[in-house]
Amino acid sequence: MRKVIMWDMVSVDGFFEAPGHDIGWFVFEDELAAYIGQTQLGTGTLLFGRVTYEMMASYWPSAEGDIATFMNGVEKFVFSRTLKSADWHNTTLVSGDAVTEVERLKRLDDGTIFVFGSADFAAGLIEKGLVDEYRLGINPVLLGNGVPLFKPGLTRTNLKLTHTRPLKSGVVILHYQPVPDA
């Protein structure tokens, strides 16, 4: 069964976006690019909610480099009840039940599934126990306001730390796996 991995850059105070969808505070440098190359560029499928999809689809098609080549070529699914089309190369629009579709995708044998951003969409996956690993890039910034990565009301989930990687930039990468209830 394929794993669903949630990867997000987040502020120390838990926000993944500043107000106005501002992600200009993300620390992105060579060491982080190398980490992404080592851990994400072999991914089989990406999942997005509508807002993150629209941000990604407006940026990556005109970008260049290894990450852009990956982002533009990888299989992508956008989950939305309001979008009428998804024109970014290799994207499938899913307007039906997200949980059912993600369960189906997990049963396929086509590599790892990543969720980037998409906190509202991811909250539904978390609630149903469909996220197998959380990878967080903690950025050395306090935003004070913005969009929290984890939504209020989630059920308590104990996590096991499986990997840490501090970067020279001050970003700390953490990998966690949910611990099954005893």
Side-chain angles (χ1 to χ4, degrees), residues 113-160:
I113 301 169
F114 266 81
V115 179
F116 293 158
S118 307
D120 291 337
F121 167 69
L125 300 182
I126 293 166
E127 180 182 323
K128 297 298 183 183
L130 293 173
V131 176
D132 301 295
E133 186 174 337
Y134 301 88
R135 294 183 183 177
L136 306 174
I138 309 298
N139 281 244
V141 63
L142 296 170
L143 295 177
N145 195 1
V147 179
L149 179 58
F150 297 102
K151 301 301 181 189
L154 289 176
T155 303
R156 178 180 170 159
T157 303
N158 292 320
L159 303 173
K160 176 184 175 185

Side-chain angles (χ1 to χ4, degrees), residues 1-2 4 102-108 113 129-130 132:
M1 183 170 274
R2 296 166 74 183
V4 172
V102 172
E103 287 172 338
R104 182 189 74 77
L105 291 169
K106 284 184 75 160
R107 287 190 299 270
L108 300 176
I113 301 169
L130 293 173
D132 301 295

Side-chain angles (χ1 to χ4, degrees), residues 9-178:
M9 298 289 273
V10 65
S11 65
V12 170
D13 52 349
F15 298 105
F16 86 104
E17 284 182 350
H21 302 298
D22 174 16
I23 57 172
W25 51 272
F26 283 13
V27 175
F28 189 84
E29 38 66 48
D30 291 342
E31 199 174 8
L32 181 60
Y35 164 82
I36 289 170
Q38 296 162 0
T39 62
Q40 296 174 20
L41 297 188
T43 298
T45 303
L46 299 180
L47 308 179
F48 299 107
R50 179 192 55 83
V51 173
T52 301
Y53 169 79
E54 288 177 333
M55 289 174 57
M56 296 280 194
S58 71
Y59 176 78
W60 288 110
S62 61
E64 296 180 1
D66 292 341
I67 295 173
T69 299
F70 163 75
M71 292 296 291
N72 290 315
V74 71
E75 174 183 55
K76 296 171 280 293
F77 289 82
V78 57
F79 294 82
S80 174
R81 288 177 171 52
T82 58
L83 280 179
K84 300 299 181 214
S85 66
D87 300 326
W88 187 13
H89 178 71
N90 210 15
T91 300
T92 300
L93 173 61
V94 179
S95 57
D97 181 53
V99 169
T100 300
E101 182 63 11
V102 172
E103 287 172 338
R104 182 189 74 77
L105 291 169
K106 284 184 75 160
R107 287 190 299 270
L108 300 176
D109 192 23
D110 295 331
T112 306
I113 301 169
F114 266 81
V115 179
F116 293 158
S118 307
D120 291 337
F121 167 69
L125 300 182
I126 293 166
E127 180 182 323
K128 297 298 183 183
L130 293 173
V131 176
D132 301 295
E133 186 174 337
Y134 301 88
R135 294 183 183 177
L136 306 174
I138 309 298
N139 281 244
V141 63
L142 296 170
L143 295 177
N145 195 1
V147 179
L149 179 58
F150 297 102
K151 301 301 181 189
L154 289 176
T155 303
R156 178 180 170 159
T157 303
N158 292 320
L159 303 173
K160 176 184 175 185
L161 180 66
T162 60
H163 177 79
T164 60
R165 183 171 174 177
L167 306 181
K168 292 175 188 143
S169 64
V171 170
V172 178
I173 297 169
L174 305 171
H175 294 195
Y176 290 100
Q177 293 178 343

